[in-house]
Amino acid sequence: PRVCRALSVLSLAWIPHLVLALPEKDRVEELPGWDEPLFSKTYAGYIPVGTEEGYTMHEHYLFFESEGDPKKDPLIMWTNGGPGASSFLGSFNELGPYYLSDASVQTRRFRATGVPTLFENPYRWTKLGSLLIRNLPPPVGFSYCDPAGPSGDSKSCGSWNDTRTAKHSFNFMKEWLLALPH
């Protein structure tokens, strides 16, 4: 798995200049539990990834622009693996700009609002490059398939194997890059 992730990072390092203009409709201006300005431009949305085996797939992504020089810094793609584990787990516990912990539900802010408090991650990967968090394959995380829609269960996109996951991943990256305004 580490080799595959390293290869993903290396293979995507040539496209940092392409990820500077994601759709404004996907722009995230604030995060629940975080009261400060965001560290960098942040986007979240869905990319339609085509139809396969009768299922129309929609993959959810979360993107944090590099805090350095987004035009020159690499694009880092993260998936938690699984299938079944949302990549938000890694994003908000390991490598993203903000993290959640047991302390998130022990703050004065949490007691007042009921919203867990986000904390700054001093080891965030956005200091190194732009970070693309993917929830794959559907229906992991917020990703889903039609006809079941977002309320579908773990079987609502059919069964997955390495070959189908690899094809889906390639199609997502192709569609994600095509979705960027040029």
Side-chain angles (χ1 to χ4, degrees):
R2 288 184 182 176
V3 172
C4 291
R5 285 198 179 120
L7 289 175
S8 294
V9 170
L10 291 174
S11 67
L12 296 173
W14 63 273
I15 57 173
H17 65 281
L18 294 177
V19 294
L20 297 177
L22 285 163
E24 279 303 307
K25 69 177 179 56
D26 290 354
R27 180 86 185 263
V28 175
E29 300 289 344
E30 58 186 47
L31 291 171
W34 184 258
D35 292 336
E36 304 294 323
L38 300 180
F39 293 120
S40 64
K41 288 183 180 177
T42 302
Y43 298 83
Y46 290 93
I47 297 295
V49 191
T51 301
E52 185 179 323
E53 298 180 15
Y55 302 101
T56 302
M57 297 175 278
H58 307 272
E59 185 177 319
H60 186 264
Y61 77 92
L62 176 61
F63 178 78
F64 300 103
E65 192 173 77
S66 171
E67 295 176 53
D69 185 348
K71 291 182 181 180
K72 294 182 181 174
D73 291 345
L75 171 64
I76 305 166
M77 183 187 77
W78 175 265
T79 65
N80 253 43
S86 170
S87 296
F88 282 5
L89 181 65
S91 176
F92 288 99
N93 283 297
E94 300 175 40
L95 56 116
Y98 317 94
Y99 73 90
L100 293 162
S101 70
D102 291 340
S104 296
V105 295
Q106 298 170 0
T107 63
R108 185 176 305 136
R109 189 178 331 150
F110 173 76
R111 287 190 294 277
T113 66
V115 176
T117 302
L118 290 171
F119 299 106
E120 176 181 352
N121 180 357
Y123 308 106
R124 59 192 178 268
W125 291 13
T126 51
K127 291 181 175 183
L128 305 171
S130 295
L131 184 58
L132 173 61
I133 307 294
R134 296 180 53 201
N135 279 313
L136 82 143
V140 170
F142 291 121
S143 297
Y144 69 94
C145 290
D146 289 326
S151 63
D153 63 18
S154 64
K155 302 292 184 197
S156 62
C157 297
S159 60
W160 291 89
N161 59 32
D162 289 346
T163 302
R164 185 170 180 221
T165 302
K167 287 179 184 177
H168 169 84
S169 189
F170 174 78
N171 288 336
F172 169 86
M173 289 308 301
K174 183 175 61 176
E175 294 301 323
W176 189 71
L177 291 170
L178 290 173
L180 305 176
H182 295 284

